[in-house]
Amino acid sequence: MKSAVETLNPTRVRLSIEVPFEELKDSLDAAYKKINQQVTVKGFRKGKIPARIIDQRFGRGAVLEEAVNDALPKFYTDAVNEAELNVLGQPEVDITELKDGETLNFTAEVDVRPTIEIPDYSGIEVEVDAIEVTEEDIDKSVEQLRERFAATSPVERAAEDGDVVTLDLEAKVDGEVLEDGVASGVSYTIGSGELLEGVDAAVTGVEAGGEATFTSELKGGSAAGKEAEVTVKVTQVAARELPALDDEFAQLASEFDTLEELRADSRKRLENMKQYDQATQAQERVLEKLLELVEVPVPEKLLEDEINTRKHNLEHHQLGQMGLDLEKYLEIQGKTVEEFDAETKEAAVKGIKTQFVLDELVNKEKLNVNQEELTEHLMRRAASSNMSPDQFAQAVVEGGQVPMLVGEVARGKALAVVVEAATVKDTNGEIIDLDDEEEDETTEATSEETPAVEAEATEDKPEA
């Protein structure tokens, strides 16, 4: 076999491959054997039909087609390895010449990872928000805890904002009661926004036993997105009573003996949260700066596939769970289809560029992923997917996604290296020394980037 590589553009090549006919012998033998098992010829036992009879009855062309289909993946793979190409996705194969007994010539066009030069990134500087926890922040945190320990008691008066009401609801569309539009004994806090739009105004001022009717767009169920006439009956009104803010409350709501200790713990937790947000902000801004320094051509087919993947996931998974379609989602977001398409393309381009650059950094810095790092990442991904580690690991192995997870961890480590080399200052001008949690955050961030490159990289077998 002889092969040559022609560069069509920075992300696509054409392989020209010449195969002497004798190298097709194994595939021809396999083709005759396969056809032997599939056909029946009178006078011959199944599987014992001579090759010349198969040629006469079914045509030499059918045998050649079967043999070429069997041989192409091997010759293509050999040519890719010989040229040391880092291919992406399925090649477009064209058989240019097939002479029985002489030669097989074909071409294969395929996308490849572009060559990327990583410049000196030690001079990157970014600014992040300073960590500031105010007394108002602590008050709000303690108040949220206080809300969780509120008690309720029935009252004989009209419902007011903040009251907990028990409701019976019935929804009609075009005058017909929906099968899934009836609910009884629903507990709802007025003003929480956790039910249908319009329910707050409808039940405010209504006493137990009273009814009200309002119209609202249904967010889920069989009539999601449609306007419904909703009748709501208030069966009970209960006032919420918040516990006093004192040491007794601290002992009730926490492991602390005093309110002062509870507030100190709230401050510490808020500082930790803001520190995490600060580190996340730092890695996002460092990544943006890094991408600005690197010229990264993006394969057109890969970009097209990634855009389609993002749209599919949004429409059929995220929006489907919310009972929305794309049209309604865009209406809620106040975006046109053109704006949505532009944003999706921008995000896809950034995701692909990020993966290319970080993968190149992994190679440049010779970063490896050990079993402990992979296990920790798997457990975090399992938690975010609401699966047990064992369930998630099984799904990953069965789906052949272990290399993808390894890539996520490696890219996280690569970005952590860049963040560590960068100068990060807060808005007060203080230099920030990010802690060890940074690597975990960068790993999580890179795991949300495009999956298309990983998927395409494994689909390098041609289909003739």
Side-chain angles (χ1 to χ4, degrees):
M1 183 198 79
K2 294 191 300 184
S3 64
V5 181
E6 177 188 357
T7 300
L8 304 178
N9 61 49
T11 63
R12 194 165 180 83
V13 299
R14 179 188 291 122
L15 287 161
S16 297
I17 302 168
E18 298 180 14
V19 182
F21 206 80
E22 56 266 23
E23 293 187 29
L24 287 173
K25 182 181 183 307
D26 289 345
S27 294
L28 281 168
D29 291 344
Y32 279 116
K33 184 176 181 179
K34 182 176 180 180
I35 293 173
N36 241 306
Q37 299 300 321
Q38 294 175 337
V39 302
T40 302
V41 175
K42 189 175 181 180
F44 296 93
R45 287 183 296 165
K46 196 174 187 66
K48 299 296 183 179
I49 308 170
R52 61 181 177 80
I53 300 298
I54 291 177
D55 289 346
Q56 292 172 0
R57 292 292 185 92
F58 306 102
R60 175 70 168 178
V63 178
L64 289 175
E65 181 180 356
E66 182 67 38
V68 168
N69 284 338
D70 176 73
L72 275 181
K74 176 186 180 302
F75 292 124
Y76 166 75
T77 301
D78 288 346
V80 166
N81 293 336
E82 183 180 295
E84 297 182 343
L85 298 175
N86 199 338
V87 298
L88 300 168
Q90 292 275 11
E92 294 179 4
V93 176
D94 180 27
I95 297 175
T96 56
E97 186 176 25
L98 176 58
K99 290 185 177 180
D100 194 359
E102 296 183 26
T103 186
L104 163 66
N105 297 334
F106 68 95
T107 61
E109 287 191 18
V110 66
D111 285 334
V112 293
R113 282 179 180 262
T115 300
I116 299 173
E117 293 294 331
I118 303 294
D120 180 14
Y121 48 79
S122 61
I124 291 178
E125 294 187 11
V126 298
E127 184 181 75
V128 296
D129 295 335
I131 297 177
E132 296 178 352
V133 177
T134 66
E135 289 299 314
E136 289 74 15
D137 292 332
I138 299 172
D139 290 342
K140 183 178 180 181
S141 175
V142 173
E143 189 64 23
Q144 289 173 342
L145 183 62
R146 190 182 177 207
E147 291 276 350
R148 289 169 50 192
F149 285 85
T152 58
S153 56
V155 292
E156 295 183 3
R157 59 166 173 76
E160 300 174 356
D161 186 42
D163 284 345
V164 178
V165 289
T166 303
L167 308 174
D168 294 339
L169 299 102
E170 180 183 84
K172 296 180 180 179
V173 173
D174 298 329
E176 297 291 330
V177 178
L178 300 172
E179 288 186 11
D180 55 354
V182 178
S184 301
V186 177
S187 181
Y188 175 66
T189 301
I190 299 176
S192 67
E194 295 173 351
L195 264 182
L196 296 170
E197 185 177 346
V199 69
D200 289 337
V203 299
T204 298
V206 178
E207 298 183 13
E211 290 187 1
T213 301
F214 64 99
T215 59
S216 183
E217 182 180 303
L218 300 178
K219 302 300 182 184
S222 61
K226 293 184 178 181
E227 287 286 330
E229 181 183 85
V230 182
T231 299
V232 56
K233 180 178 181 180
V234 179
T235 60
Q236 179 179 279
V237 178
R240 300 175 72 249
E241 299 176 0
L242 298 175
L245 279 176
D246 51 23
D247 293 346
E248 186 175 339
F249 167 69
Q251 295 164 18
L252 171 68
S254 71
E255 71 271 29
F256 302 106
D257 294 327
T258 67
L259 183 60
E260 183 179 352
E261 290 175 324
L262 174 60
R263 289 179 65 85
D265 181 69
S266 295
R267 176 183 291 278
K268 183 178 179 181
R269 286 188 296 102
L270 290 170
E271 287 175 345
N272 289 339
M273 290 171 58
K274 287 179 179 287
Q275 186 177 34
Y276 180 90
D277 292 342
Q278 187 187 66
T280 301
Q281 190 180 64
Q283 63 93 3
E284 289 173 349
R285 294 183 178 179
V286 167
L287 176 60
E288 289 174 2
K289 291 282 188 179
L290 177 64
L291 294 180
E292 290 173 5
L293 295 176
V294 187
E295 186 68 30
V296 186
V298 176
E300 292 183 8
K301 180 65 166 60
L302 182 63
L303 177 58
E304 178 185 342
D305 290 345
E306 178 59 15
I307 290 172
N308 291 336
T309 296
R310 287 173 182 256
K311 287 183 176 179
H312 178 85
N313 288 341
L314 176 65
E315 290 188 64
H316 299 280
H317 297 291
Q318 296 163 265
L319 296 184
Q321 292 176 356
M322 296 187 288
L324 299 174
D325 57 18
L326 183 59
E327 182 179 356
K328 189 62 185 177
Y329 169 76
L330 294 180
E331 180 183 328
I332 294 172
Q333 294 291 315
K335 296 177 183 176
T336 64
V337 173
E338 292 74 20
E339 289 171 335
F340 169 74
D341 286 342
E343 289 179 4
T344 303
K345 180 178 180 180
E346 181 180 358
V349 168
K350 181 182 178 183
I352 293 171
K353 285 185 175 182
T354 296
Q355 195 158 331
F356 281 161
V357 170
L358 295 182
D359 283 345
E360 185 62 31
L361 265 168
V362 169
N363 294 329
K364 180 180 179 180
E365 301 293 345
K366 296 180 173 56
L367 301 174
N368 296 310
V369 176
N370 60 43
Q371 186 61 49
E372 182 180 355
E373 291 167 334
L374 182 60
T375 300
E376 289 176 357
H377 181 56
L378 184 147
M379 293 181 70
R380 288 195 298 272
R381 287 293 303 273
S384 65
S385 302
N386 295 320
M387 299 171 68
S388 72
D390 288 343
Q391 289 175 324
F392 188 79
Q394 182 178 355
V396 166
V397 172
E398 290 177 353
Q401 300 298 305
V402 173
M404 184 186 73
L405 284 188
V406 172
E408 290 174 357
V409 178
R411 285 188 286 275
K413 295 179 72 171
L415 184 50
V417 168
V418 182
V419 174
E420 184 179 354
T423 298
V424 181
K425 294 182 179 180
D426 66 16
T427 49
N428 294 329
E430 297 291 330
I431 294 180
I432 305 301
D433 183 15
L434 299 172
D435 59 25
D436 292 338
E437 291 183 1
E438 172 193 296
E439 189 170 302
D440 292 342
E441 291 146 13
T442 53
T443 300
E444 292 305 305
T446 55
S447 70
E448 297 176 2
E449 295 299 342
T450 172
V453 180
E454 291 285 0
E456 294 284 352
T458 62
E459 297 174 359
D460 56 1
K461 299 296 178 65
E463 295 178 355

